[in-house]
Amino acid sequence: MPKVHDSPNAWVAEHIRHFEQTGGRPRPGVNDLLLTTRGRKTGELRRTALVYERDGDRYVLAASNRGSDHHPAWYLNLLADPYVTVQVGTETFTARARPATAAERPHLWRLMVSAKSEYAAYQQRITREIPVVLLERV
């Protein structure tokens, strides 16, 4: 099995460890998942922890990068290779990731802001549009 590299961000790496220690429930009342992408430059597997919401059978993510002016690495990685590994709770599965279309985004953005109001504040302070990503099981 190939080695998976956790986020170099100390806070995210700690969150991943807590996710694993709690059987995928690190923050009661918050929907968290682990997303593994393939590095677009290195080809190595990269793992991060993210908040998600559901839209039917799909998982929805916001590529907010905590309000940074640039997209998070995980988002750029899935643009290069959309096949990702997702862990929700103790279940792990393969999914295909894609940015929401312009028509889909308003509804999905409202869904993400209702889950985590900080997303709206992040969007107001930066010029890039925060991408919304859909994960669909394959």
Side-chain angles (χ1 to χ4, degrees):
M1 176 177 270
K3 179 170 176 42
V4 176
H5 301 274
D6 287 344
S7 172
N9 177 301
W11 181 87
V12 177
E14 178 59 30
H15 189 73
I16 292 168
R17 281 189 291 281
H18 192 60
F19 185 101
E20 291 177 326
Q21 291 166 353
T22 61
R25 301 301 302 166
R27 300 184 292 176
V30 177
N31 294 331
D32 289 303
L33 61 73
L34 299 183
L35 177 72
T36 303
T37 59
R38 184 164 301 281
R40 66 198 178 284
K41 295 176 184 175
T42 65
E44 295 178 344
L45 296 177
R46 305 284 183 185
R47 184 166 63 167
T48 193
L50 299 164
V51 171
Y52 75 90
E53 279 300 313
R54 295 288 300 262
D55 184 60
D57 291 340
R58 306 179 301 182
Y59 293 83
V60 184
L61 310 173
S64 71
N65 206 13
R66 300 186 85 182
S68 172
D69 283 326
H70 59 279
H71 294 310
W74 64 262
Y75 176 72
L76 299 173
N77 289 344
L78 68 78
L79 291 177
D81 182 351
Y83 292 95
V84 299
T85 301
V86 179
Q87 183 177 346
V88 176
T90 57
E91 181 186 14
T92 301
F93 57 92
T94 301
R96 185 173 188 281
R98 68 173 176 85
T101 65
E104 293 169 321
R105 188 180 186 285
H107 160 71
L108 298 172
W109 177 251
R110 284 190 301 275
L111 182 67
M112 293 308 297
V113 168
S114 72
K116 186 174 176 179
S117 62
E118 293 96 329
Y119 290 139
Y122 294 162
Q123 185 62 81
Q124 288 177 351
R125 73 174 191 235
I126 60 175
T127 55
R128 74 176 175 97
E129 181 177 76
I130 295 173
V132 176
V133 174
L134 291 166
L135 303 176
E136 298 169 308
R137 288 175 186 260
V138 292

